[in-house]
Amino acid sequence: MAGDAPLPEAFARWFASRGWSPRAHQLELIAQARAGRSTLLIAPTGAGKTLAGFLPSLIELAAQPADRTSSLHTLYISPLKALAVDIARNLERPAAEMGLDIRLETRTGDTSATKRARQFERPPDILLTTPEQLALMIAHKDARALFGGLRRIVLDEIHSLVTSKRGDLLALGLARVRKLAPEATAVGLSATVREPDQLRRYLASGDPSGELADLVTVAGGAAANLSILQPNAVLPLAGHTSRHAMAEIYAAIRAHRTTLVFVNTRMQAEFMFQELWRVNEENLAIALHHGSLDVGQRRKVEAAMTAGKLKAVVCTATLDLGIDWGDVDLVINIGAPKGASRLIQRVGRANHRMDEPSKAYLVPSNRFEIMECHAALEAVAEAAQDTPDAKPGALDVLAQHLLGLTCAGPISADAAFAEITSAAPYAALTRETFDAALTFVATGGYALKSYERFAKIRLGKDGLWRVGDARVAQQYRMNVGTIVESPMLKVRLGRARASRTGGSPVLFGGRVLGEVEEYFAETMLAGDTFIFAGEVLRFEGIAGNEVVVSRTQAGTDPKIPSYAGGKFPLSTFLAERVRRMLASPAEWPRLPKQVGDWLALQARKSVIPKRTQMLVETFPRSDRFHLVAFPFEGRLAHQTLGMLLTRRLERLRLRPLGFVCNDYGLCVWGLSDMSAAIADGVLSLDALFDSDMLGDDLEEWLQESALMKRTFRYCAVIAGLIERRFPGQEKSGRQVTMSTDLVYDVLRRHEPDHLLLRAARADAATGLLDLQRLAQCLSRIRGRIVHKALGRVSPLGVSVMLEIGREAVYGEAADTLLAEAEEIMMQEAAA
Amino acid sequence: MRALHHRTLTFPGPAIQGLPQPAFSVGGLEAVPHHSGALYLPSERALLLSDLHLEKASSYAARGVFLPPYDTRATLASVAVAIAAFEPRQVISMGDSFHDRTGSLRLEPDDATTLRRLQAGRDWLWLTGNHDPDAARGLEGEVADEIALGGVMLRHEPAHRGAEPEIAGHLHPAARIRLRGRGVRRRCFISDGNRLVMPAMGAYAGGLNVRDGAIQRLFDDGADVWMLGDARVFQVSRTLLMPD
């Protein structure tokens, strides 16, 4: 049988014509496919992963007669639609060169309705798509026919999906497809991860054999050439701009073919772009790319990049994943990488050839970040990984999927339960919770059963659930997916003129520059200046759903801080290493001298905490008293901690006024002398940081927490309680925010155990509130708090204090703020 | 510009318990705003409620949006707080008491009982609103389109005519302030001393910013704003009011 040869002749000839020979893992995957085994392939960038994933499909398709009836053979899922399109392009070439007669199509949100319909009537051999499109396809009434003959499923970059809600949705989709096509085998392509078994289990979702997917690993590739860019300038104590290193960054860009400059947030991208052009004396082609820019603008940058016309692109995580951007030979990571695995993947973007080392510079933007960058370098050298743990599948995603299943045809609860628990994230789902989700989909799942007559899905006499009417399927299609955008406002260039009544500004139409988050726009007052789309803009006001801005004169400084908070908190793994580095003076000489001096000064003026300790310093400054703590648990956990601490201090009548935090520590200030309160025994730090704050204090705060409300809104949208486009409010995402807050308040009071609140709490534990990490932190520091009362701020403390003015200040309850507003009025009246 | 009466009085009623309530006058009538969103008129012993939007959730359910069906009881609970605070002789619900025409027929038995208890022993008047032009079908209480009380007209939608003193609802005013980097958006009363627009009391009722033209045009010479706090009402400086 020809199948015994490692490669069919046409393929062997093609490899030879390119001067290549197939790599071991590529042959191994062919053998795996022939044996009908599902496989996880872990390989570094540039190892020919994609080709390895597709070769078995190409070989099988090549062996089929040209006049075969059209049937979907291979389904490829990518986390990014741009990646799906890119892979399609990269596959077409070898297919054409080998003279294979293979139909290959993509299906994304951009695909026309006609083409999508045609893909059901006359399926291509290979379909490249995204998790959301898969969800839509399995909810289609003809899903069974489409997937019935499927042979192979290729999941690309699965490491980037598994720990997210999209990953949950994809696992459920995978279980469904496997049910429709029990013969199909799956292959997962992944970068290196900490727990490969987690991915093998994920890949086995819905596999009738019940076995983990086999593992094929490609060893290392060339070690990356990583270093920290050492600027000559004095390093700032805080801040995230890296302005001090601009000359060195520019020189590095000039010295390389093409550079990707990665930053962590959109605002940092804007800032970096601005600063680079300030020093760009040679007019090098330096472009900007981030998710909030106008789509047309982004496509232009991508095209120029692929064509090799750009010298550098400043970008955010939007360019993190596997797209081949041509001849990148340098990656510069601005700020600390926050996680070792993220750094490794970003660095992999430079140089898509496995045997050559990727080259990357880290540019720490303050002294703490230097330690973090050193920790990250060590981790990379040891190939240590800190990819996140798997967590149980989200309940809001489950609800969405259940409705999708019913849209495709009648389902039995028993069969659906068996299928869903075969998906790895839902393996531990209880029947009780499953039933609650089903009831939620049907009628909202409230204890007060008042919506029975409006049910979206109903249980028939035959024991099967069916959709109530055709409108339900329509609703489902509008709401599918797990990505809930924060409400965004368009940024339009215009000139504002206050209307006669002082109401909304009147604008003269100008160009749309992109979008900003609503909450960012809300922090601004008319006249504030900020950077967006590469220029300094003046905020004029919000009109309807648009932010109206005007251009500023050259040389205007942006007033609103350009750091809108890092997306990714410092990983636990790196935090532990930074704590260790801090606690070991023997390691300091390896750090730049100014950092070593800074730490030595801290040892003299205050205390260097041991690895397991948490340092708390109290000191007066101006007419305020400050408390600085260093838990090193990332800003999200610190933000929650700060909220809870201020509540407790308020109860102790220590009159806190506000707090700020960064990834390393937090600073609370107020009107009472906290050093004295500790000395007098009024304030016990052990009691202040006791984990019982996660009980009543937390509950009380959650009632009004804007972050919790935002988390709830996401769950409500994903679960389908609130439509993405709420009836009668299509025009404004802003009013939806309002409504879900009200819904949250009411539901919390009347049915605290409702499925959606459970979903929101689960998200809060790991998401915006990072409660899980805070809980671990509080138990770690119990009995290990070291306190130092100081006459003034310490060297370490300065770095947190400097966040004041950069970061939003958090403070007390709404009533306190309203009372202050009232006071202001009284003063005005008296004047 | 009209001079306004800003003064603080301690209402002698039993349930106020010494908390100073800001009070003001509308068309010469003393008015005490409550943090539930209700307004008390001591001289008439009348409590005004506006835009309750009862049964809004069940109204949405018919369209396949299953909001928690507890909005009616949540709203009635804050009405109960206001009634307990002032023990009024009469209650006037200023229109849009129900979210749609048939809302009053959909009340859950428990909620209907709660409402009857609140109505017991006092006069109850339902004004009609654009959402409930028939007011509360099948329920206790009188129905009217508008009514004059102590020389002030009470109606659902503010009239744009004349200088006649008026208390109305309909617009769901809300105010947003920002102080030290933090914003607070709350429902509010807004008045220029001659006209007053009440906040919506419905648990799911949204709010319209007082800087919006629809509200601004009612108050050519400016107006004052009382925002609803968690435990009391706060009169805030108009210089702090922000658009959304």
Side-chain angles (χ1 to χ4, degrees), chain A residues 190-238:
Chain A
S190 171
T192 311
V193 291
R194 190 168 52 83
E195 295 282 358
D197 283 359
Q198 186 185 312
L199 292 188
R200 294 172 64 200
R201 198 169 300 121
Y202 181 92
L203 210 50
S205 292
D207 191 333
S209 78
E211 294 170 34
L212 295 196
D214 295 337
L215 177 64
V216 171
T217 308
V218 180
N225 174 1
L226 270 175
S227 52
I228 294 177
L229 197 65
Q230 303 282 9
N232 295 317
V234 175
L235 259 169
L237 285 163

Side-chain angles (χ1 to χ4, degrees), chain B residues 212-242:
Chain B
D212 191 276
I215 293 179
Q216 290 289 324
R217 77 172 65 99
L218 294 174
F219 302 103
D220 278 346
D221 296 325
D224 288 288
V225 157
W226 290 260
M227 293 172 77
L228 309 188
D230 293 332
R232 68 182 188 93
V233 170
F234 298 87
Q235 185 179 6
V236 299
S237 168
R238 71 177 75 154
T239 56
L240 297 176
L241 298 180
M242 312 248 315

Side-chain angles (χ1 to χ4, degrees), chain A residues 445-612:
Chain A
Y446 302 107
L448 180 67
K449 301 199 182 309
S450 46
Y451 298 153
E452 302 291 346
R453 66 186 179 287
F454 304 119
K456 276 189 202 171
I457 60 173
R458 291 173 196 282
L459 187 58
K461 288 206 174 68
D462 55 1
L464 300 180
W465 289 86
R466 288 182 173 76
V467 287
D469 60 74
R471 218 181 31 169
V472 173
Q474 175 66 24
Q475 256 181 355
Y476 171 79
R477 281 194 290 276
M478 302 295 290
N479 287 301
V480 85
T482 61
I483 301 170
V484 182
E485 304 288 346
S486 339
M488 298 294 275
L489 303 180
K490 280 203 169 69
V491 178
R492 188 185 289 280
L493 203 53
R495 283 247 321 280
R497 182 176 61 189
S499 66
R500 193 181 57 83
T501 51
S504 313
V506 177
L507 74 136
F508 308 100
R511 191 157 78 74
V512 171
L513 300 174
E515 294 183 318
V516 293
E517 291 89 355
E518 176 185 6
Y519 60 83
F520 174 72
E522 282 190 340
T523 62
M524 285 188 289
L525 292 170
D528 282 352
T529 47
F530 66 109
I531 332 184
F532 189 79
E535 50 188 325
V536 180
L537 301 172
R538 182 177 190 278
F539 176 81
E540 300 290 356
I542 298 177
N545 255 357
E546 297 184 338
V547 175
V548 184
V549 298
S550 57
R551 289 217 159 88
T552 54
Q553 290 180 335
T556 306
D557 278 326
K559 181 180 153 201
I560 294 298
S562 50
Y563 181 71
K567 256 193 187 144
F568 317 105
L570 175 65
S571 78
T572 314
F573 174 84
L574 281 189
E576 162 65 21
R577 282 179 177 246
V578 172
R579 273 201 305 270
R580 203 168 61 201
M581 195 177 292
L582 180 66
S584 329
E587 288 195 42
W588 298 354
R590 295 196 296 114
L591 300 170
K593 185 170 179 310
Q594 44 181 321
V595 178
D597 291 351
W598 173 55
L599 295 179
L601 193 64
Q602 170 72 16
R604 266 209 317 283
K605 301 273 185 189
S606 177
V607 174
I608 293 285
K610 295 198 171 56
R611 192 174 59 81
T612 54

Side-chain angles (χ1 to χ4, degrees), chain A residues 440-444 446-451 453-456 471 475 500-504 521-525 528 542 560 657-658 704 720-723 726-729 734 738-739 742-744 746-747 749-751 808-826 828-829, chain B residues 6 8 22 56-71 73-75 77 106 108 110-111 174 176-187 202-208 211-213 216-217 220 224-240 242-244:
Chain A
F440 169 82
V441 174
T443 60
Y446 302 107
L448 180 67
K449 301 199 182 309
S450 46
Y451 298 153
R453 66 186 179 287
F454 304 119
K456 276 189 202 171
R471 218 181 31 169
Q475 256 181 355
R500 193 181 57 83
T501 51
S504 313
E522 282 190 340
T523 62
M524 285 188 289
L525 292 170
D528 282 352
I542 298 177
I560 294 298
L657 290 172
E704 61 194 50
L721 176 79
I722 303 285
E723 291 173 43
F726 207 42
Q729 298 185 334
R734 316 175 62 214
M738 204 37 219
S739 306
L742 299 172
V743 170
Y744 171 77
V746 169
L747 187 56
R749 244 179 297 144
H750 291 88
E751 204 168 333
V809 171
Y810 301 93
E812 53 287 277
D815 270 20
T816 321
L817 219 63
L818 287 172
E820 197 169 321
E822 192 172 64
E823 184 61 28
I824 291 172
M825 192 213 64
M826 294 303 182
E828 283 167 6
Chain B
H6 295 305
T8 299
K56 180 170 180 174
S58 60
S59 182
Y60 272 78
R63 288 186 261 162
V65 176
F66 299 148
L67 300 178
Y70 307 112
D71 59 322
R73 63 191 58 181
T75 306
R106 291 196 307 269
E108 290 288 332
D110 283 0
D111 295 334
R176 198 164 94 81
I177 58 161
R178 203 182 109 197
L179 269 177
R180 290 184 285 110
R182 281 195 66 212
V184 176
R185 189 186 200 270
R186 286 296 168 95
R187 300 174 188 194
Y204 291 162
L208 179 68
R211 299 272 305 257
D212 191 276
Q216 290 289 324
R217 77 172 65 99
D220 278 346
D224 288 288
V225 157
W226 290 260
M227 293 172 77
L228 309 188
D230 293 332
R232 68 182 188 93
V233 170
F234 298 87
Q235 185 179 6
V236 299
S237 168
R238 71 177 75 154
T239 56
L240 297 176
M242 312 248 315
D244 282 328

Side-chain angles (χ1 to χ4, degrees), chain A residues 781-797:
Chain A
I781 62 173
R782 183 174 306 153
R784 299 199 182 93
I785 298 175
V786 30
H787 171 244
K788 186 84 183 169
L790 298 169
R792 52 184 298 186
V793 60
S794 75
L796 282 189

